Amino acid sequence: MRDHYDVLVIGAGPAGISAAQTAAAHGVSVGLLDAQPRPGGQVWRHDVQHPLPRSARTAMDHLRGVDFLAQHSVVATESAGLRLETPQGARLLSYGALVLATGARELLLPFPGWTLPGVTGAGGLQALAKQGWPVAGKRVVIGGSGPLLLAAADTLRKHGARVFGIYEQASASTVRSFAWQLRHWPARAWQAAGLRLRLAGIPYRLGSFVRKAHGDGSLQRVDIDTPHGVQTVECDLLAVGYGLVPNTELASLLGCALDHTDTHPRVRVDALFRTSVANVYAAGESCGIGGLSVARIEGAIAGHMAAGHIDDAGALLMQRDSERRFGALLAKHFALDPRLHRLADDLTLVCRCEDVRMGELTGFTDARAAKLITRCGMGACQGRICGTALAELGRFPRGGARPPIFPARLATLAGLANLPSDDAQRGS
Amino acid sequence: MSPRVRLTVNGHPVDVPAGASVAAAVAHVTLRFRRSVNDAPRAPLCGMGVCFECRVQVDGITHVRACMTPASEGMQVITDA
Ligand SMILES: Cc1cc2nc3c(=O)[nH]c(=O)nc-3n(C[C@H](O)[C@H](O)[C@H](O)COP(=O)(O)OP(=O)(O)OC[C@H]3O[C@@H](n4cnc5c(N)ncnc54)[C@H](O)[C@@H]3O)c2cc1C
Ligand code: FES
């Protein structure tokens, strides 16, 4: 087993796959690792019932000359390389250049009842269904914001779910204006039209959001706020997601500067995808939400750069600029309605790991103080859910990443010099 | 017919398509994956390894994220709710 790669790529979504493939074509040794058991990332996640789109299969078939390291989670950084946890134990890998393609996660906001079994993210339920979660015949309500709700509905429908409705918080006028802007991206307009056609018969309600989930031990019904008043719907599963947030924890641990212009930070890169740390590049949604095409182009640019071929990288820049504008369009049109900030009341749990209620956070203005006193953000998810939600709700920004960035077994951590003692046994 | 794997969840036999996650297998038996610090039942939220709400015991190892673990033949899964 190698312990060094010329180019090591973290995250095997479209960006990472494209970076690995591009770098390998220059003849350097390339490792591509992911915490998941298979390559594909979010959008190309393996589906146990349905084949992936042809473009995804082609991209993965072209991973020749690349070592794919499955179920490898980066948990910490060391001077000699990255500390990884695998089902077989710990590993240390060193690299010449690093490409961070850690992608994005869903923005999940607290509301009364959101901890009931049966309530998931929207992309979350989509991911679970692709991996065999039984949804056939189940009554599903989808809520939140952005085009991911439609993609999730499509997957769930294909898996036999009875999707009762898609409740988009953005207003009818903003969604119409978004659809009109799509004409500048014909491929996407075409995709969107196809999706709408496949989802014909499923109500798509705008200016509507899930206010509350009810159930005794598990989900039974939801209250939905619509422009025409509150509606109550009986259902088995509720899938709610408010868009995507870049995964920046690893970049932050490596010392890469983050861009804090928006509520949720992203990895700061220059025009050629160099981070602020030498020999560390970043691409895809960790650098900002932009979707599949951006991820693939940026991955290719970062792959050329990491392999030392700057001219090849520059040639792709124009193409990606057009695609990035699409990301900006999304952010503008699916901005969250301020009413969503008031969904959680004082009794609503915010930190699901430590069962901290919203009311307990009154008066705190920074994440660290809140964590020390209430334990909010202290649990296994390390604030990825509650810290991100609190930042979105305007309470306080998320605290910085500290090792290990995922809870790790003590054996993995043995010998790590830079481990803060209060975090040593997190998640165990 | 695609290949399937057989495992047990809390002693109940379950079979799922090859490539399915432990989370999917558990969901065939119960939606109660773990108990929160205040004893409330919890189930997967994010489906992608971030929230840690799906933790179960797999072949004696505790705190395994069910959504990140492929189901395999003969696996013994135990929930805590
Ligand atoms: C739940 C979800 C569902 C989505 N569904 C769709 C869809 O149906 N259609 C669509 O067009 N877009 C979808 N998206 C948007 C999607 O994120 C992008 O289109 C695209 O997948 C971004 O590619 P990427 O390569 O930048 O990142 P991703 O695809 O997110 O890949 C990042 C990869 O990095 C890995 N990773 C992160 N941190 C670490 C670490 N520390 N150690 C090891 N591995 C790590 C992750 O496991 C992941 O596989 C979805 C997003 C989410 C979050
Ligand atoms: S469902 Fe969130 S980590 Fe498994």
Side-chain angles (χ1 to χ4, degrees):
Chain A
M1 211 161 31
R2 302 179 74 112
D3 54 12
H4 177 90
Y5 288 96
D6 295 331
V7 175
L8 183 60
V9 182
I10 315 301
I17 289 174
S18 157
Q21 187 188 330
T22 307
H26 290 295
V28 298
S29 66
V30 180
L32 170 64
L33 63 84
D34 202 296
Q36 306 272 353
R38 291 173 190 256
Q42 300 305 342
V43 51
W44 289 344
R45 182 181 287 276
H46 173 75
D47 188 319
V48 295
Q49 274 184 25
H50 303 279
L52 284 171
R54 191 195 306 270
S55 55
R57 279 177 287 153
T58 311
M60 288 189 234
D61 288 348
H62 281 83
L63 275 176
R64 281 186 221 105
V66 173
D67 286 349
F68 175 63
L69 309 171
Q71 291 188 289
H72 278 52
S73 288
V74 181
V75 295
T77 57
E78 291 178 48
S79 51
L82 297 179
R83 174 71 59 167
L84 308 168
E85 183 157 276
T86 80
Q88 288 74 42
R91 240 183 121 172
L92 187 69
L93 266 185
S94 64
Y95 50 84
L98 194 62
V99 178
L100 305 177
T102 51
R105 59 174 175 269
E106 254 187 308
L107 172 60
L108 303 166
L109 296 180
F111 56 90
W114 78 308
T115 53
L116 283 169
V119 180
T120 61
L125 188 57
Q126 179 192 36
L128 290 164
K130 284 183 171 181
Q131 298 185 114
W133 184 276
V135 297
K138 294 274 164 31
R139 301 165 303 170
V140 180
V141 168
I142 298 176
S145 199
L148 181 53
L149 304 187
L150 301 176
D154 193 34
T155 302
L156 294 168
R157 182 197 55 84
K158 271 201 290 193
H159 283 255
R162 292 158 62 200
V163 181
F164 280 3
I166 304 168
Y167 298 89
E168 163 64 58
Q169 61 88 34
S171 70
S173 60
T174 50
V175 173
R176 260 199 303 275
S177 128
F178 174 77
W180 174 239
Q181 293 293 329
L182 270 187
R183 70 190 187 284
H184 299 301
W185 288 269
R188 287 179 193 272
W190 191 244
Q191 243 174 19
L195 199 52
R196 281 305 294 145
L197 212 61
R198 288 202 298 280
L199 297 177
I202 298 179
Y204 184 43
R205 299 276 180 254
L206 304 171
S208 304
F209 54 87
V210 175
R211 171 171 286 288
K212 198 168 183 172
H214 305 267
D216 183 13
S218 67
L219 177 73
Q220 284 158 340
R221 60 181 197 285
V222 297
D223 296 343
I224 301 161
D225 209 289
T226 76
H228 315 289
V230 177
Q231 221 181 34
T232 298
V233 181
E234 308 261 331
C235 59
D236 307 303
L237 297 167
L238 168 64
V240 200
Y242 286 98
L244 302 178
V245 187
N247 288 321
T248 57
E249 290 75 14
L250 178 56
S252 173
L253 204 61
L254 285 160
C256 303
L258 303 184
D259 179 333
H260 288 280
T261 319
D262 302 322
T263 308
H264 306 288
R266 51 196 143 110
V267 182
R268 182 187 290 164
V269 284
D270 69 7
L272 289 166
F273 297 90
R274 290 176 283 223
T275 68
S276 64
V277 173
N279 299 322
V280 180
Y281 303 84
E285 298 216 301
S286 54
C287 307
I289 304 311
L292 174 59
S293 311
V294 172
R296 297 190 70 185
I297 302 168
E298 292 188 354
I301 300 175
H304 285 306
M305 288 296 292
H309 289 259
I310 194 164
D311 295 342
D312 294 322
L316 292 168
L317 283 175
M318 287 233 316
Q319 203 186 339
R320 93 106 202 196
D321 286 347
S322 146
E323 293 294 340
R324 267 285 171 207
R325 281 197 288 279
F326 180 76
L329 189 75
L330 273 182
K332 181 171 145 220
H333 285 84
F334 293 94
L336 296 191
D337 185 323
R339 283 182 298 170
L340 294 168
H341 290 183
R342 297 188 293 272
L343 281 182
D345 57 31
D346 277 356
L347 293 178
T348 307
L349 291 175
V350 178
C351 173
R352 305 171 57 120
C353 298
E354 297 289 338
D355 282 358
V356 181
R357 296 181 190 280
M358 194 61 142
E360 295 174 56
L361 297 175
T362 309
F364 288 103
T365 52
D366 83 274
R368 189 162 170 75
K371 180 172 164 179
L372 285 175
I373 307 288
T374 67
R375 297 187 64 83
C376 182
M378 185 81 100
C381 93
Q382 304 182 355
R384 282 178 175 80
I385 305 294
C386 63
T388 303
L390 288 163
E392 179 66 36
L393 301 184
R395 289 297 184 105
F396 36 74
R398 228 192 120 197
R402 294 197 295 160
I405 52 170
F406 281 106
R409 290 187 286 274
L410 281 177
T412 306
L413 301 174
L416 263 190
N418 55 347
L419 196 67
S421 58
D422 61 329
D423 290 350
Q425 296 198 43
R426 261 192 316 213
S428 56
Chain B
M1 193 66 194
S2 52
R4 299 185 71 87
V5 295
R6 274 161 308 177
L7 61 163
T8 65
V9 175
N10 298 339
H12 300 281
V14 186
D15 81 284
V16 290
S21 63
V22 168
V26 172
H28 281 281
V29 174
T30 177
L31 267 189
R32 294 161 170 252
F33 279 62
R34 69 170 197 107
R35 263 176 303 162
S36 78
V37 298
N38 288 340
D39 244 10
R42 292 287 170 76
L45 172 71
C46 73
M48 51 175 286
V50 173
C51 72
F52 288 76
E53 288 283 33
C54 64
R55 281 170 291 167
V56 294
Q57 197 188 105
V58 176
D59 292 337
I61 302 172
T62 53
H63 300 297
V64 175
R65 277 174 291 173
C67 74
M68 298 285 279
T69 310
S72 67
E73 190 69 29
M75 215 175 219
Q76 293 183 5
V77 181
I78 296 174
T79 63
D80 180 31

